[in-house]
Amino acid sequence: MAEETESTKTEPLKTAEEEFKKLEITEEEESELKLETSDHVTFMVEASIAMKFGAVQQYLEVSPAASASATAIPLHNVASRELILILEYYRMHDWVDAGERDLKEFDERFLKDLNYEELKELLLAANYLNVEKLFNFLTKSIANIIRNKDVEFVRTFFGIDNDYTPEEEAAYREENAWAGVKFV
Amino acid sequence: MDNIEPSGTINLLNLPEPIMDSILKRLSPMELVGMSEVCTCLRDRCRSDPLWEVHVKQKWGKVIGDVAYKEWQWHITTAKDKGINQFNQHNNHNGSLGSFSGTWPMLYLRSYLEDCGHLNSSLANSFMMTLYFSLLNGKFWFPAQIYRGALVRHALVRYDSKSDDFEVRLQNGGWHIMGYIQFQWDNLRAPPVDTPPCDRYVSDCLQDLKPGDHIEIQWKSRREITYVGDFNDFNYNGLQIGGMLLLVTWTHVMKMRTSAAVVTLFIILEMDKLRVIKFALLTETLIVEFKQYAHGSRMKRVKLLRNGEQCEEATGCYGGIRKLHSEEEIQRWERQKLLPPHQTPQNPLLQLNGERLLGSFSGFWPLVSLGSYLENPGDLTNLLLSNCSMMAFYISLQSGRFWFPAQVYKDLKPGDHIEIQR
């Protein structure tokens, strides 16, 4: 099933791919967990990585038998395309040989390949899975995206409408003027 | 996925709270204010206290303590009450006063807020955010302590964003701005204890004290004054009132003779063969010998009563002891001791006797500070007119009529004369 993970990648990153193969060779005996996504795709994932997912840990605490049995651990709010990305991210960041620069480059490319919608979906999945590192990485990236952007951009980005009444908006601007913030 | 809108757009309102919180906590204060313009839902989130507490702690944590937070709470509450009453009352006050402690005539102002009109609005619900900006804009004069030479005293300070330092007021009858001296971040600290300067700090460390410990002690120069100070003294001598000072060397003791203030001493208790610092913890009395004073000095050894203050004319009155636990605090004091001789704070209250004195001033009332002055210039006029300025200078110095600016060396001994501004 791990191979399926590989094949579904549209643009596998070289470093991650190589590393993945290396892992397969050197750590053949590593135990794996079976995860099932919301679109009913099952993945065999190294236990070392799967156990980084808070949701998986929690599941195993409740039903410890699942780790040994062939039962798949259901991930209700994660689709296969998100899980693939998440696994890609964690495999890279787990790679012992990855230097700081490699990771930085990887992170940049990882982010570049995502559009805003995918980014938010991935964030939701990361939140559900309770994967801290990726979650922090994504929220930081989003903060960087909306930082110093105009209000309209932020509204579009989050898909929300301006619900201020003109009076509220005036009052609000006056309040913020006190804080020393001026709007153009 | 369940959470996707039919249009494929994930709505902000659908995002679980931890996600938004995690994004927002990465934004700077100004960015947060900008974000709050997006929609009403974001406004409330962008003003939340947990979010701003981080910024307050990060930016102001070193200089504001519990006292400042309490004072801010007081201002917020006052502003809210005003907001409720504003339909009934028409008063022109655009600022809320500070809060007082003590009773007349020993009132003691703990903080002051300029221009609190904005707090009537919904901002009053955002405790931390308004605190952050009131500090940043210099509208909130908050209680802090300043390192001044080897002293620390209570002051009201406000931030000056243009120069990134602090303007300081010491209580001197009113709260006068202290000359034009700006204080750097490093010369300020949050009051380490909640005790107002008018009260004796209750020591909680007496059982644990041992040689080598670093401590601070409250101190005031005379029994008859309260820890806050005495307005009669102030009128007569222009005394500093309401300050808490830390005292290290004789220089500062001499200075403190002019000062009716609460003083905190910084002492290094240390077992040292050459200069043995004796230390005895008796049942009710603590004997402390100060390393920084010369042998034979009246200040060298003091007896401190565990409960209640200990006053002797020669040594002044000692209050509570606080043990310094953190290495950072100790090092801050050590650094302070290495500074050049303490500069006399510019005393804003100068009583001049009219035409017989000539002095040069900087600043304007009540913030004048005298650079020098000449007594009885009348009979020097001829000399001055005939261009014998050096001779006139000599005579003026010789006859002690010319008060000139100079600095006092650190190793002054008891009994030395120093110039005191009146």
Side-chain angles (χ1 to χ4, degrees):
Chain A
M1 285 310 226
E3 280 76 9
E4 184 185 326
T5 311
E6 283 284 18
S7 62
T8 47
K9 274 186 196 172
T10 45
E11 284 177 31
L13 290 158
K14 259 189 196 166
T15 43
E17 195 177 36
E18 279 163 15
E19 169 52 22
F20 186 54
K21 279 175 187 160
K22 213 189 291 174
L23 272 176
E24 275 192 322
I25 297 160
T26 53
E27 296 178 32
E28 266 172 85
E29 287 147 44
E30 184 177 348
S31 63
E32 292 183 330
L33 291 173
K34 195 193 266 186
L35 308 181
E36 188 180 341
T37 56
S38 58
D39 49 352
H40 308 297
V41 182
T42 46
F43 290 78
M44 294 304 293
V45 179
E46 305 88 296
S48 62
I49 287 178
M51 287 306 284
K52 285 201 163 66
F53 303 169
V56 172
Q57 279 175 34
Q58 214 177 347
Y59 186 89
L60 290 179
E61 270 166 32
V62 179
S63 39
S67 62
S69 75
T71 338
I73 300 169
L75 306 174
H76 300 297
N77 283 9
V78 183
S80 51
R81 53 188 170 152
E82 274 89 49
L83 187 59
I84 290 162
L85 287 167
I86 292 169
L87 290 175
E88 182 188 330
Y89 181 86
Y90 270 88
R91 278 173 183 147
M92 181 62 191
H93 279 261
D94 256 23
W95 180 27
V96 279
D97 291 339
E100 224 168 90
R101 231 180 97 195
D102 299 328
L103 289 180
K104 208 176 157 237
E105 276 175 21
F106 170 84
D107 285 353
E108 278 168 15
R109 261 182 300 172
F110 186 81
L111 206 60
K112 219 173 140 191
D113 291 342
L114 296 170
N115 63 34
Y116 290 158
E117 227 35 55
E118 288 166 339
L119 186 60
K120 284 187 281 182
E121 279 163 20
L122 192 57
L123 180 57
L124 281 170
N127 182 55
Y128 168 81
L129 273 186
N130 191 5
V131 282
E132 203 187 337
K133 196 171 185 176
L134 179 62
F135 180 81
N136 287 337
F137 169 66
L138 293 174
T139 51
K140 198 171 144 193
S141 306
I142 290 183
N144 286 337
I145 290 168
I146 59 175
R147 174 165 291 149
N148 295 323
K149 293 287 195 318
D150 62 28
V151 178
E152 273 314 316
F153 177 91
V154 180
R155 283 181 188 142
T156 317
F157 186 89
F158 286 118
I160 37 178
D161 296 322
N162 179 14
D163 60 349
Y164 278 112
T165 64
E167 293 80 26
E168 276 177 333
E169 194 152 1
Y172 149 86
R173 274 167 190 263
E174 200 175 309
E175 285 171 9
N176 280 346
W178 158 80
V181 184
K182 293 200 173 53
F183 297 102
V184 206
Chain B
M1 272 173 68
D2 301 343
N3 291 7
I4 303 177
E5 298 274 307
S7 64
T9 301
I10 296 170
N11 190 305
L12 165 93
L13 304 169
N14 291 343
L15 288 183
E17 221 159 274
I19 292 184
M20 263 336 273
D21 288 347
S22 180
I23 293 171
L24 293 179
K25 79 177 185 197
R26 294 167 199 280
L27 298 178
S28 74
M30 282 306 175
E31 287 160 358
L32 274 180
V33 175
M35 280 293 284
S36 67
E37 201 189 355
V38 171
C39 66
T40 49
C41 156
L42 260 186
R43 178 188 61 190
D44 297 340
R45 280 192 183 183
C46 287
R47 288 181 176 180
S48 76
D49 277 349
L51 215 51
W52 282 90
E53 191 175 359
V54 178
H55 292 298
V56 168
K57 290 246 161 76
Q58 209 170 24
K59 172 97 181 166
W60 310 107
K62 276 180 80 177
V63 294
I64 64 165
D66 290 347
V67 190
Y69 282 111
K70 277 182 199 159
E71 289 295 307
W72 186 248
Q73 184 64 59
W74 186 89
H75 286 295
I76 285 271
T77 315
T78 312
K80 271 189 192 170
D81 293 347
K82 266 192 195 168
I84 293 163
N85 296 330
Q86 70 183 353
F87 297 108
N88 311 325
Q89 290 177 359
H90 293 283
N91 58 29
N92 288 330
H93 293 172
N94 65 347
S96 90
L97 281 179
S99 65
F100 292 95
S101 63
T103 49
W104 181 261
M106 287 144 200
L107 287 177
Y108 172 73
L109 192 61
R110 301 202 83 182
S111 73
Y112 183 84
L113 181 63
E114 294 176 3
D115 178 24
C116 72
H118 52 273
L119 289 180
N120 293 340
S121 67
S122 63
L123 281 172
N125 296 321
S126 308
F127 180 91
M128 287 290 176
M129 182 181 123
T130 48
L131 174 59
Y132 183 92
F133 281 110
S134 296
L135 287 166
L136 188 72
N137 297 341
K139 286 177 177 153
F140 182 34
W141 289 85
F142 61 97
Q145 294 183 342
I146 54 165
Y147 290 91
R148 185 98 176 106
L151 310 169
V152 157
R153 64 175 69 193
H154 276 288
L156 280 188
V157 301
R158 73 159 168 194
Y159 181 64
D160 183 343
S161 57
K162 283 196 191 101
S163 46
D164 188 31
D165 53 17
F166 295 87
E167 202 176 323
V168 171
R169 286 179 191 221
L170 293 175
Q171 197 177 23
N172 221 330
W175 288 97
H176 299 284
I177 293 172
M178 191 176 174
Y180 289 99
I181 300 168
Q182 302 286 102
F183 275 74
Q184 305 293 324
W185 281 89
D186 191 41
N187 288 326
L188 253 68
R189 72 171 189 187
V193 292
D194 208 354
T195 317
C198 44
D199 295 342
R200 186 178 186 276
Y201 170 64
V202 181
S203 315
D204 57 358
C205 61
L206 293 185
Q207 299 298 343
D208 311 328
L209 279 182
K210 57 186 184 303
D213 280 349
H214 297 246
I215 59 175
E216 296 174 353
I217 300 182
Q218 280 181 304
W219 186 85
K220 59 184 177 179
S221 60
R222 285 195 297 279
R223 184 201 301 273
E224 61 268 26
I225 56 177
T226 67
Y227 279 108
V228 162
D230 181 320
F231 277 87
N232 290 328
D233 279 333
F234 145 66
N235 284 332
Y236 188 69
N237 275 336
L239 301 177
Q240 309 283 350
I241 294 175
M244 172 184 278
L245 311 183
L246 283 152
L247 188 63
V248 181
T249 67
W250 251 121
T251 318
H252 307 108
V253 178
M254 295 302 287
K255 216 188 73 54
M256 286 319 302
R257 283 178 162 182
T258 71
S259 168
V262 181
V263 176
T264 306
L265 284 181
F266 173 64
I267 307 159
I268 302 167
L269 295 174
E270 185 173 272
M271 287 304 274
D272 175 335
K273 274 185 185 168
L274 292 171
R275 308 168 82 180
V276 176
I277 307 304
K278 282 182 194 153
F279 176 83
L281 188 60
L282 307 176
T283 41
E284 284 306 315
T285 316
L286 178 71
I287 298 171
V288 181
E289 280 197 12
F290 298 102
K291 188 186 176 186
Q292 66 264 34
Y293 300 135
H295 286 286
S297 156
R298 286 172 303 177
M299 297 291 284
K300 183 73 182 170
R301 166 189 273 231
V302 291
K303 268 192 280 182
L304 306 175
L305 294 181
R306 184 177 302 169
N307 304 309
E309 63 182 36
Q310 168 70 16
C311 275
E312 274 173 39
E313 197 162 325
T315 57
C317 306
Y318 290 88
I321 291 182
R322 190 175 74 92
K323 185 171 168 176
L324 301 180
H325 289 285
S326 91
E327 195 54 40
E328 200 185 337
E329 257 188 312
I330 294 165
Q331 278 175 5
R332 181 65 189 82
W333 272 114
E334 295 282 6
R335 210 158 69 237
Q336 200 66 15
K337 279 171 68 186
L338 298 175
L339 288 176
H342 180 69
Q343 292 168 5
T344 313
Q346 294 172 30
N347 191 329
L349 288 163
L350 295 168
Q351 294 171 355
L352 291 183
N353 223 343
E355 64 282 356
R356 303 230 116 196
L357 305 174
L358 293 176
S360 69
F361 294 92
S362 58
F364 48 89
W365 182 262
L367 312 171
V368 284
S369 76
L370 197 56
S372 73
Y373 76 91
L374 184 62
E375 294 175 4
N376 248 335
D379 49 355
L380 291 172
T381 314
N382 286 339
L383 283 173
L384 289 167
L385 284 175
S386 49
N387 281 336
C388 303
S389 63
M390 284 315 279
M391 184 183 165
F393 183 42
Y394 184 88
I395 292 173
S396 310
L397 288 169
Q398 180 77 22
S399 58
R401 283 183 288 175
F402 181 39
W403 291 78
F404 58 96
Q407 290 190 331
V408 180
Y409 288 105
K410 220 176 169 182
D411 55 352
L412 276 181
K413 286 171 202 64
D416 283 354
H417 293 281
I418 58 170
E419 179 188 358
I420 298 164
Q421 286 180 333
R422 283 184 177 250

